[in-house]
Amino acid sequence: MALTESVPAAAPPAHEGILRRQSLRESAARTYARSLPIVPVRARGLTIEGADGRRYLDCLSGAGSLALGHNHPVVLEAIRGVLDSGAPLHALDLATPVRDAFTTELFATLPGELAEKGRIQFCGPAGTDAVEAALTLVRTATGNDGLLAFSGAHHGMPEGAATAAGDARHTGATRLPYPYDYRCPFGTGGEHGAELAARWTEHLLDDPGNGVPRPAGMILEPVQGEGGVLPAPDSWLRRMRDITAARHIPLIVDEVQTGVGRTGTFWAVEHSGIVPDVLVLSQAIGGSLPLAVIVHREELDVRRPGAPAGTFRGNQLAMAAGAATLAHVRENGLARRAGEIGARMLARLGRLADSCACIGDVRGRGLLLGVELVDAEAEADATGARPAAPALAAAVRDACLDRGLIVGLGGRHGAVIRLLPPLTLTDEQADAILDRLTDAIAAAVRTTPAPTGPPPTTMRGTSP
């Protein structure tokens, strides 16, 4: 080749082209893709393989949708069974054997009173559709319009569901304090902080001058996921049940992210023993495919047919995958296993926090774990809490990805590292996750400048 001839530049890897086209074609609303520049092409269990050939341990699990991890054999077998049978893939709300099998399996796992006298409504395919259905249900049944919701909550994005979110503005929802040990709004934390939160709720509802619209219902999460992995104390949940029952206010519990064994019991309400009036379910109940339902007490079932409804409330593939997932979790004791392995992971994270000043708090239940990162150089407040460190959290997330670990962020300031591995997690995989996270935190601390001002308020776990 002559010296004057130019050498053609090497073509960029295929995955870079895919990422570039996504950024050009998709809206600014995309979230995870901004912070996780990978192109998954294969996946199994905990592991994702990218188009670049790298392998990653996935601790997002489809935001909790993948109770059994990616492409579990029982899920694939259930989907193939429907496809090979010639059954309709779309059946609106007509009765089908697949639908009947799913409903039967789901009711076999529910808390006793709901299993005995509950009614199920299939909604649109997303958890937000189920929240919308729950709000419509209680408003129709009570004739009231008000809503009791909690700071830090996340119940979805459509208008009705978004009114219950902790960072919503100009809505008809009344905000109530949610227990938060590390940043207790009453400056006490612990059981006393939770008791004060309950007492405030009770006082507000009984004050004739409260200015609160007559509530159609109260909606809460037994563990706030996007809000920063905040497990509600069991005693506080029992107080909320007592407060609402005494005032004939339907209690809606959102288990979109906590259901199907994730917290160590099949449903997170089982830890406290409460039975809600309405249970909101999605994500893991579809076995990785879109499916959402509400289960409610029969006395609330006063609506007319089709109010509200959804064209895709008859997703046969999701029902088959969901029934297989529910059965596998139940028959193999995976909820109990999640509680055991999650407790060991939380204990190790606690030891890491003892030696790492940038970790303000570790918390969680089962395999829903959170690590709150703080400014180690800042002065702590009267309760011992330091300012959140969202820039450090983002750096840790990036360092995790460099080490082949996918994690998410959450919390009021986007400063909580969230871990949601599948319930099939092994001890060795749990150790590998924590090894990589520990290394990533150390690397991020070395390279991230100290913050110069108060942290921004982002509130969502999908910060760019």
Side-chain angles (χ1 to χ4, degrees), residues 14-88:
H15 73 280
E16 292 183 6
I18 294 173
L19 292 171
R20 183 175 63 255
R21 287 188 291 277
Q22 182 188 39
S23 66
L24 290 173
R25 294 169 176 168
E26 295 191 24
S27 78
R30 69 189 187 282
T31 53
Y32 295 103
R34 292 177 178 273
S35 56
L36 300 172
I38 62 176
V39 179
V41 292
R42 278 175 292 276
R44 186 72 170 227
L46 178 68
T47 304
I48 286 177
E49 181 180 338
D52 58 357
R54 293 195 64 196
R55 293 179 180 272
Y56 302 87
L57 303 182
D58 180 15
C59 274
L60 278 179
S61 296
S65 299
L66 303 170
L68 304 182
H70 293 276
N71 291 322
H72 193 281
V74 303
V75 173
L76 298 182
E77 181 180 1
I79 293 172
R80 290 192 189 102
V82 175
L83 293 174
D84 293 343
S85 72

Side-chain angles (χ1 to χ4, degrees), residues 37-276:
I38 62 176
V39 179
V41 292
R42 278 175 292 276
R44 186 72 170 227
L46 178 68
T47 304
I48 286 177
E49 181 180 338
D52 58 357
R54 293 195 64 196
R55 293 179 180 272
Y56 302 87
L57 303 182
D58 180 15
C59 274
L60 278 179
S61 296
S65 299
L66 303 170
L68 304 182
H70 293 276
N71 291 322
H72 193 281
V74 303
V75 173
L76 298 182
E77 181 180 1
I79 293 172
R80 290 192 189 102
V82 175
L83 293 174
D84 293 343
S85 72
L89 299 183
H90 192 301
L92 296 173
D93 61 0
L94 300 177
T96 68
V98 173
R99 187 188 192 95
D100 183 62
F102 171 80
T103 303
T104 299
E105 185 58 48
L106 176 63
F107 270 66
T109 70
L110 292 174
E113 293 179 50
L114 280 180
E116 292 171 6
K117 297 183 178 181
R119 294 290 184 269
I120 185 171
Q121 179 190 339
F122 289 85
C123 313
T128 52
D129 299 311
V131 172
E132 294 285 338
L135 299 183
T136 301
L137 171 73
V138 296
R139 283 173 172 147
T140 301
T142 65
N144 299 331
D145 291 325
L147 177 66
L148 303 174
F150 290 87
S151 58
H154 178 64
H155 300 290
M157 299 310 295
E159 182 178 0
T163 63
D167 58 354
R169 300 290 184 268
H170 309 300
T171 72
T174 298
R175 298 284 178 274
L176 300 169
Y178 190 92
Y180 188 170
D181 274 1
Y182 187 66
R183 303 189 187 279
C184 177
F186 303 102
T188 62
E191 289 291 333
H192 186 50
E195 169 59 25
L196 290 174
R199 191 178 303 174
W200 169 254
T201 298
E202 195 167 24
H203 168 76
L204 182 71
L205 293 177
D206 292 341
D207 181 358
N210 58 21
V212 174
R214 290 181 63 85
M218 172 188 285
I219 184 169
L220 61 82
E221 300 160 274
V223 181
Q224 285 192 348
E226 297 289 347
V229 190
L230 302 176
D234 293 337
S235 59
W236 179 83
L237 284 172
R238 287 190 285 268
R239 283 292 302 279
M240 293 303 102
R241 176 66 283 187
D242 291 343
I243 287 170
T244 53
R247 292 157 182 81
H248 305 289
I249 300 170
L251 177 62
I252 305 167
V253 173
D254 181 342
E255 290 235 28
V256 167
Q257 194 164 97
T258 56
V260 194
R262 179 152 297 279
T263 68
T265 52
F266 212 99
W267 309 107
V269 292
E270 295 179 70
H271 291 290
S272 62
I274 70 168
V275 179

Side-chain angles (χ1 to χ4, degrees), residues 225-378:
E226 297 289 347
V229 190
L230 302 176
D234 293 337
S235 59
W236 179 83
L237 284 172
R238 287 190 285 268
R239 283 292 302 279
M240 293 303 102
R241 176 66 283 187
D242 291 343
I243 287 170
T244 53
R247 292 157 182 81
H248 305 289
I249 300 170
L251 177 62
I252 305 167
V253 173
D254 181 342
E255 290 235 28
V256 167
Q257 194 164 97
T258 56
V260 194
R262 179 152 297 279
T263 68
T265 52
F266 212 99
W267 309 107
V269 292
E270 295 179 70
H271 291 290
S272 62
I274 70 168
V275 179
D277 299 297
V278 187
L279 196 59
V280 179
L281 307 175
S282 185
Q283 295 192 180
I285 67 162
S288 78
L289 298 181
L291 186 63
V293 305
I294 60 172
V295 181
H296 56 82
R297 295 184 185 272
E298 61 181 353
E299 54 265 34
L300 294 175
D301 199 19
V302 297
R303 293 161 301 172
R304 295 180 178 179
T311 303
F312 289 98
R313 63 191 187 276
N315 189 333
Q316 300 292 287
L317 290 181
M319 291 177 191
T325 297
L326 293 169
H328 191 79
V329 171
R330 177 178 56 81
E331 293 168 358
N332 291 276
L334 294 188
R336 177 182 51 79
R337 165 69 178 167
E340 293 171 351
I341 195 168
R344 289 200 294 271
M345 293 178 73
L346 194 61
R348 180 172 166 186
L349 288 170
R351 293 192 294 272
L352 177 62
D354 291 339
S355 62
C356 189
C358 72
I359 299 178
D361 192 30
V362 297
R363 52 187 178 255
R365 205 156 202 176
L367 289 176
L368 179 53
L369 303 170
V371 179
E372 182 163 353
L373 299 181
V374 298
D375 179 2
E377 303 300 322

Side-chain angles (χ1 to χ4, degrees), residues 390 412-414 454-459:
R412 268 66 161 180
H413 306 287
T457 302
T458 58
M459 225 325 272

